[in-house]
Amino acid sequence: MSFRPADFRHAVLGAAVALTFALSAGAVMAQNAKPAAASSAAPAAAGSAAAPAAAAPAEAATAAVKPGDATAGQGKAAVCGACHGIDGNSADPQYPKLAGQHESYIARQLTNFKAAKRQNPIMLGMASPLSEQDMHDIGAYFATKVSRPGVADEALVEHGQKLYREGDVERGIPACMACHLTDGRGNPGAIYPQLAGQHAQYVEATLKSWHDGTVWGDDAHAQIMPAIAKKLDAKDITALASYIEGLHSADSGDTATAAP
């Protein structure tokens, strides 16, 4: 078989055309592949960006709770007045005085009532519809009020005062004033409540309840008073409750006022 120069030129030309076509097709395929890769990578980028967005509502909810507003709390606390008094000074000694109580303490107790950690059917119903902000607003309102002083039974002052100020080392009972301060104003930072002027009947009932095993929560803070109350006998509880009712602030003499 003979091979002519013309045939050789045609073969070379055909090979060049074929090579050019192949390179062009490869370039087109590569261009088409890039958007596909980009599109497949896009969801991953979107997914990683969505994580902070998903967390945003929770962060917003936390950030939304501000220090209590006493003005807003006044309206929200109106229903509380039926038992605790409009100004937080309850007329019925079975209900605690809230006047002058710390915002942090009131908000904590309302939270416990709502979660049923502190058992009280009436307060469960009252606390259930409240938001965390509502609780702080109500607490701020009562914190602006002044607790009216009470009186202590003269016969119980000495015993009550000794326990409150010194405790009883032999029985492992700490002094009440270590947490609630000498004047009974408490410590809002540690969420230790104000006690000064509180109704003796309410204090006595509460201490007895703790003595018998009641707790107001499941955290370490909630275990403090039940552990102490178990070491108190009936006479201790009665004397302490009376002394606390007559306990006044420093500008009122810083002493328990005995009944005439």
Side-chain angles (χ1 to χ4, degrees), residues 58-87:
E59 294 174 359
T62 302
V65 179
K66 302 176 182 177
D69 181 337
T71 302
Q74 181 173 7
K76 297 174 183 179
V79 67
C80 307
C83 295
H84 300 284
I86 295 300
D87 64 348

Side-chain angles (χ1 to χ4, degrees):
M1 179 177 177
S2 62
F3 190 80
R4 293 177 298 177
D7 294 333
F8 177 76
R9 288 195 299 272
H10 289 159
V12 172
L13 181 59
V17 171
L19 178 60
T20 302
F21 178 78
L23 292 174
S24 300
V28 171
M29 290 177 65
Q31 290 175 353
N32 290 338
K34 289 179 181 178
S39 62
S40 63
S48 61
E59 294 174 359
T62 302
V65 179
K66 302 176 182 177
D69 181 337
T71 302
Q74 181 173 7
K76 297 174 183 179
V79 67
C80 307
C83 295
H84 300 284
I86 295 300
D87 64 348
N89 284 285
S90 57
D92 189 333
Q94 70 174 307
Y95 301 121
K97 293 179 182 179
L98 299 182
Q101 191 57 268
H102 310 303
E103 173 189 332
S104 58
Y105 184 77
I106 291 177
R108 176 183 173 83
Q109 296 311 313
L110 287 172
T111 298
N112 285 344
F113 281 129
K114 184 173 182 176
K117 291 181 178 181
R118 181 175 174 181
Q119 297 289 326
N120 185 296
I122 296 176
M123 285 307 303
L124 173 62
M126 294 293 184
S128 292
L130 298 178
S131 68
E132 188 175 356
Q133 186 65 61
D134 292 335
M135 295 175 186
H136 279 275
D137 291 345
I138 290 171
Y141 168 71
F142 283 119
T144 65
K145 302 305 174 184
V146 179
S147 178
R148 295 181 193 143
V151 292
D153 184 337
E154 185 177 4
L156 300 173
V157 168
E158 184 178 356
H159 185 185
Q161 179 172 271
K162 187 177 190 308
L163 285 172
Y164 189 90
R165 292 176 177 268
E166 302 175 26
D168 189 325
V169 177
E170 292 182 1
R171 290 189 288 160
I173 300 171
C176 304
M177 73 176 193
C179 293
H180 300 284
L181 306 188
T182 306
D183 61 2
R185 291 303 177 188
N187 184 339
I191 322 183
Y192 295 144
Q194 168 182 276
L195 298 182
Q198 189 59 265
H199 295 301
Q201 180 178 325
Y202 176 76
V203 174
E204 186 169 3
T206 302
L207 287 173
K208 284 182 176 178
S209 179
W210 280 328
H211 178 277
D212 295 340
T214 298
V215 292
W216 288 358
D218 52 11
D219 59 296
H221 194 285
Q223 307 300 319
I224 297 173
M225 281 310 304
I228 295 172
K230 289 180 186 301
K231 300 175 182 179
L232 301 172
D233 60 31
K235 291 182 179 179
D236 295 331
I237 290 174
T238 299
L240 265 176
S242 179
Y243 180 79
I244 286 170
E245 180 171 344
L247 192 58
H248 295 172
S249 63
D251 55 6
S252 297
D254 191 23
T255 57
T257 303

